[in-house]
Amino acid sequence: MSQADQVPASAPEAAAAAVLEALNATDSNGTEAINATGKFVATPEGTALAYGSLVFMALLPIFFGAIRSVSCSKSKNASDMPETITGRDAARFPIIASCTLFGLYLFFKVFSQEYINLLLSVYFFGLGVLALSHTMSPLMSRIFPASFPNKQYQLLFTQGSGESKEEIVNYEFDTKNLVCLLISTVVGVWYLLKKHWIANNLFGLAFALNGVELLHLNNVSTGCILLGGLFVYDVFWVFGTNVMVTVAKSFEAPIKLVFPQDLLEKGLGASNFAMLGLGDIVIPGIFIALLLRFDVSLKKNSRTYFYSSFFAYIFGLGLTIFVMHTFKHAQPALLYLVPACVGFPVIVALFKGELTEMFRYEEAPPEEAGPKEESSESEKKDQ
């Protein structure tokens, strides 16, 4: 959702990919060109800088998350295993998201906003540290020299003993991961204490990238069901009620990307933010990532569907911003993003005669892929 509104400096927010319901429950982007009291008027330069920065930041997790999702789908490491969304999950998700959104709305109406946001800050602090650490890990592996003493560690929790013993947690990591965790913790403490918009955006970008990388649609039909359902969800909760706007303004957690419109006047201490909900990034992003994996499966050394959907996203997001400023009213971003991200690749597939092939493409869940590979190897040995 896109809205025209002011965000207090003490609450720069973005969307959590780790909890997809929360992403859509507060799915919004907003701005204030002229606030209600007339204290601040955004200059054309400030507005252009803010929205240009938001669009650029939105593209980063989609592009790199999609690329990482290709290798993630082949990973055998438990910590990198993707979560597969099926058609049933996609059909139920708008209902779950609506219940979550309305539940949050009631919570903010009944209970003290201060205490709710304190709990949310602590919760998202933990999620953000883990998400940012996971995001930084591949980069750190390239930065550290080969001579760096990289020791391996394993965190193992078990339950029971003897034959009834079962693993609860089995996580393998190394020294580089610990360095990433330390850096992420510093960012987390900075966010927890100051709620600075840069720290907020670092967590928001990490949430979005992890969401695009680790949430996998099993086929294009499932993607259409999910995007279609959330299309209706977004339109209803933005145009039909004030619930989404109320929750988005009250929710003090890194579940939005924000950028100040008065940065040129006030520098890093700016306080009038344009914002973009992570739901508007992650939801189209996981569909775009699916099309990249479909491109890879075709083995034609081209990324036609990925780039067509990627540029469609840019077009849809730009159209959202244009309509919002033209009509000076909150806009559900998925109203423009869904037709663009689904329609452009479908048109391309029609021209290339690959529409049937696109909708027949199926991704097996990682846990199912393993046994199949093992059984095929055993069959070869038997032969």
Side-chain angles (χ1 to χ4, degrees):
M1 181 203 72
S2 160
Q3 69 177 32
D5 198 57
Q6 180 181 4
V7 184
S10 61
E13 297 123 42
V19 185
L20 197 53
E21 287 90 347
L23 286 178
N24 281 279
T26 56
D27 179 21
S28 70
N29 82 338
T31 183
E32 175 171 357
I34 303 177
N35 68 14
T37 60
K39 292 179 181 177
F40 172 74
V41 178
T43 63
E45 294 82 3
T47 301
L49 177 63
Y51 277 108
S53 300
L54 284 178
V55 171
F56 177 72
M57 285 192 290
L59 297 179
L60 290 178
I62 292 178
F63 186 85
F64 292 105
I67 292 173
R68 287 174 58 158
S69 76
V70 176
S71 57
C72 172
S73 62
K74 303 172 184 177
S75 175
K76 295 182 180 179
N77 188 343
S79 63
D80 294 329
M81 294 283 271
E83 181 73 25
T84 301
I85 300 173
T86 64
R88 179 177 294 182
D89 298 329
R92 290 185 301 194
F93 185 75
I95 300 172
I96 296 171
S98 295
C99 293
T100 304
L101 176 65
F102 192 65
L104 286 169
Y105 176 78
L106 293 179
F107 262 93
F108 281 115
K109 288 293 183 182
V110 175
F111 300 102
S112 171
Q113 181 175 324
E114 180 183 352
Y115 294 117
I116 295 174
N117 282 320
L118 178 62
L119 290 174
L120 289 172
S121 295
V122 174
Y123 176 66
F124 280 100
F125 164 78
L127 285 180
V129 167
L130 294 175
L132 187 58
S133 177
H134 181 266
T135 301
M136 292 170 55
S137 186
L139 178 63
M140 286 297 176
S141 298
R142 296 182 181 182
I143 292 176
F144 282 107
S147 58
F148 182 80
N150 192 34
K151 295 182 179 180
Q152 300 294 321
Y153 302 92
Q154 184 178 25
L155 183 64
L156 179 63
F157 288 99
T158 60
Q159 180 179 347
S161 59
E163 294 183 357
S164 62
K165 192 175 188 179
E166 60 177 307
E167 292 182 357
I168 305 299
V169 176
N170 187 359
Y171 186 74
E172 297 180 357
F173 56 97
D174 54 29
T175 308
K176 295 175 183 177
N177 296 136
L178 289 177
V179 173
C180 293
L181 190 64
L182 178 62
I183 296 172
S184 301
T185 302
V186 171
V187 175
V189 172
W190 181 27
Y191 170 76
L192 207 57
L193 296 178
K194 299 295 185 181
K195 296 290 175 65
H196 198 276
W197 60 273
I198 294 179
N200 170 88
N201 286 349
L202 289 174
F203 273 176
L205 288 170
F207 283 138
L209 192 145
N210 279 273
V212 175
E213 176 187 359
L214 299 174
L215 292 172
H216 286 200
L217 298 163
N218 64 346
N219 55 48
V220 174
S221 297
T222 298
C224 292
I225 293 171
L226 179 66
L227 267 66
L230 290 175
F231 172 91
V232 176
Y233 158 89
D234 211 17
V235 171
F236 172 76
W237 288 110
V238 174
F239 286 147
T241 71
N242 70 335
V243 171
M244 186 178 287
V245 174
T246 302
V247 172
K249 291 166 62 178
S250 306
F251 210 84
E252 290 190 17
I255 44 88
K256 303 183 196 75
L257 296 181
V258 297
F259 199 91
Q261 296 186 88
D262 53 347
L263 180 68
L264 299 176
E265 292 83 6
K266 299 182 180 180
L268 296 179
S271 58
N272 292 276
F273 296 98
M275 52 186 181
L276 177 67
L278 296 194
D280 296 331
I281 300 172
V282 175
I283 299 303
I286 60 177
F287 185 75
I288 294 170
L290 172 67
L291 293 179
L292 175 59
R293 297 193 297 275
F294 172 63
D295 278 324
V296 172
S297 72
L298 294 176
K299 299 178 180 178
K300 294 183 178 179
N301 199 28
S302 69
R303 301 292 181 263
T304 306
Y305 296 104
F306 169 66
Y307 286 121
S308 64
S309 58
F310 187 74
F311 287 114
Y313 178 83
I314 297 174
F315 171 77
L317 191 57
L319 185 60
T320 304
I321 295 171
F322 172 77
V323 173
M324 183 181 64
H325 278 279
T326 301
F327 293 98
K328 307 296 181 185
H329 190 276
Q331 296 296 317
L334 294 181
L335 174 65
Y336 308 97
L337 291 173
V338 170
C341 292
V342 174
F344 279 41
V346 167
I347 292 172
V348 171
L350 280 171
F351 274 107
K352 297 186 69 176
E354 295 176 341
L355 187 63
T356 303
E357 194 172 355
M358 174 192 284
F359 278 89
R360 283 180 179 174
Y361 173 68
E362 187 88 21
E363 285 192 353
E367 60 269 18
E368 294 180 7
K372 288 180 182 179
E373 291 175 3
E374 291 174 8
S375 61
S376 63
E377 289 177 5
S378 61
E379 287 173 7
K380 290 179 182 177
K381 289 179 182 178
D382 294 338
Q383 290 175 354

